[in-house]
Amino acid sequence: MPEEKIVQPLFQGDVLDVKSLPVSSPDSSVSRQDCPHGVVVVSQTCDAVRDSLIQVARIVKLQGSAYSESITGKRPRYIPITVNGESLFADLASIATVDRGEIPVSRISNGVQEEKDRTLFRFLIARRFGRFPFPDAVVHWCKPLREKIAPKARGNGAQGHILRQITCIRILDHNGWDSPSYDLALCFLVKPGILPTTTSGMTKIPSSFLQKVGGMSPDQIASAIIEKTLGDNASVLNLLWDSLIASWIDKCNSQYLVNPAKDGSMTIPVSGIGEILSEDEYTYDRYLASEQLDLDYLSRDTV
């Protein structure tokens, strides 16, 4: 007896036991991509409830750095879901349209049952397809962040430990993105409670101490933050955080001065500053005026 087909509505995040998805080629030929872990509905819930044709993404299993970065939402291609207690991922590079009426009803579960997971699922779908296309000159300016600094998050060093505490980077161009030059402001955000509160233990920092911090390497600064080797005073720790962010931005500014992007024979001016803030200190108006910077997923540097 044939299995009953789906007649009730589906919801975003529903997991379906679909074994393969079609992949079209430019010559109109169609191949099949295996889906051993099934697929997950990525259509918005109102559309999935109403429409007979829905969009689904292939479910994959990840390991290593791909897993650790995707589980925290740092890779826009992959969205974390849970299937039968196992952490898997929706692959947004493998999406297809399927007929809801052709899916057996007995093959449904849900991969995002908690409200916080459903919220993250919606956010990551929107981010994947709504990311801002940064100008080539800005991508080039970000090269040290992308190639030298961000990869440290995968290691065990002090800077890697600090980088893993950064939840998001927001970037604003004071000149406007349509301007022929770029005056960038990068804000590195961390969870509430990571940064020392500014209302306790504030003291004036002597100039000799400022000079000492100025002579430290980024690794030494990061170690001092983690181990509190220079003290646990809020003023000291905030100075160290600020100094570490400044060292990262300085790498971008100095590299760009040596090897700038050009429009014909004209150099495209790009410079930046940086700051560190707690998520609960980043205001909504700043969020609206800025863009999220996904270092691993910038367009390829064409300079």
Side-chain angles (χ1 to χ4, degrees):
M1 182 177 178
E3 292 185 86
E4 180 185 359
K5 304 298 183 179
I6 289 178
V7 293
Q8 81 271 28
L10 291 172
F11 300 92
Q12 189 177 70
D14 278 347
V15 174
L16 312 177
D17 189 17
V18 173
K19 295 301 185 184
S20 66
L21 289 178
V23 179
S24 298
S25 298
D27 62 1
S28 298
S29 63
V30 178
S31 59
R32 305 292 300 187
Q33 183 177 44
D34 290 338
C35 302
H37 303 288
V39 301
V40 60
V41 176
V42 295
S43 292
Q44 197 265 353
T45 289
C46 293
D47 297 333
V49 167
R50 180 183 61 243
D51 299 340
S52 60
L53 298 178
I54 59 171
Q55 284 68 53
V56 299
R58 182 172 180 254
I59 295 174
V60 298
K61 180 183 289 188
L62 300 177
Q63 296 178 332
S65 62
Y67 175 89
S68 61
E69 292 170 9
S70 299
I71 199 69
T72 56
K74 292 183 178 178
R75 290 200 178 198
R77 174 175 173 174
Y78 300 108
I79 303 180
I81 61 173
T82 302
V83 182
N84 297 325
E86 184 178 13
S87 293
L88 298 174
F89 299 86
D91 182 357
L92 297 186
S94 298
I95 291 179
T97 298
V98 298
D99 186 341
R100 183 178 59 199
E102 294 302 315
I103 303 170
V105 71
S106 60
R107 299 179 179 177
I108 303 176
S109 62
N110 191 279
V112 284
Q113 297 184 5
E114 300 291 333
E115 179 56 35
K116 62 180 179 63
D117 297 327
R118 291 194 291 270
T119 300
L120 179 64
F121 195 84
R122 293 192 298 269
F123 171 78
L124 292 178
I125 290 175
R127 193 181 88 187
R128 166 70 174 176
F129 297 104
R131 301 198 313 281
F132 180 72
F134 290 101
D136 288 343
V138 174
V139 173
H140 185 56
W141 181 88
C142 288
K143 189 173 181 178
L145 271 177
R146 184 179 67 251
E147 297 185 358
K148 301 296 184 182
I149 297 169
K152 294 180 184 294
R154 300 166 190 153
N156 297 321
Q159 287 191 78
H161 178 84
I162 295 295
L163 284 162
R164 287 190 292 273
Q165 296 185 63
I166 294 171
T167 58
C168 179
I169 305 173
R170 303 292 300 182
I171 182 170
L172 165 72
D173 178 23
H174 288 298
N175 295 336
W177 293 112
D178 292 330
S179 168
S181 62
Y182 304 99
D183 181 13
L184 307 176
L186 283 72
C187 189
F188 296 75
L189 301 180
V190 295
K191 290 287 187 184
I194 297 294
L195 299 177
T197 58
T198 56
T199 57
S200 61
M202 295 298 293
T203 58
K204 184 176 180 180
I205 299 177
S207 58
S208 59
F209 187 86
L210 295 174
Q211 292 174 356
K212 179 178 181 179
V213 173
M216 295 170 65
S217 69
D219 279 330
Q220 290 173 327
I221 296 172
S223 295
I225 293 172
I226 298 166
E227 300 170 7
K228 297 182 172 58
T229 53
L230 299 181
D232 58 0
N233 178 277
S235 297
V236 169
L237 291 173
N238 280 317
L239 171 65
L240 292 170
W241 275 99
D242 291 341
S243 298
L244 183 59
I245 297 300
S247 73
W248 294 343
I249 299 298
D250 285 347
K251 288 184 183 299
C252 295
N253 286 330
S254 59
Q255 174 270 336
Y256 195 84
L257 287 174
V258 173
N259 181 26
K262 293 187 177 184
D263 182 4
S265 61
M266 299 293 293
T267 295
I268 303 173
V270 184
S271 63
I273 59 173
E275 65 175 326
I276 182 81
L277 276 181
S278 178
E279 289 177 341
D280 56 359
E281 294 181 311
Y282 197 71
T283 59
Y284 187 58
D285 62 323
R286 293 185 68 180
Y287 177 86
L288 291 176
S290 63
E291 301 289 344
Q292 182 160 331
L293 182 65
D294 292 307
L295 290 173
D296 287 345
Y297 293 90
L298 291 172
S299 302
R300 182 174 297 177
D301 187 355
T302 58
V303 176

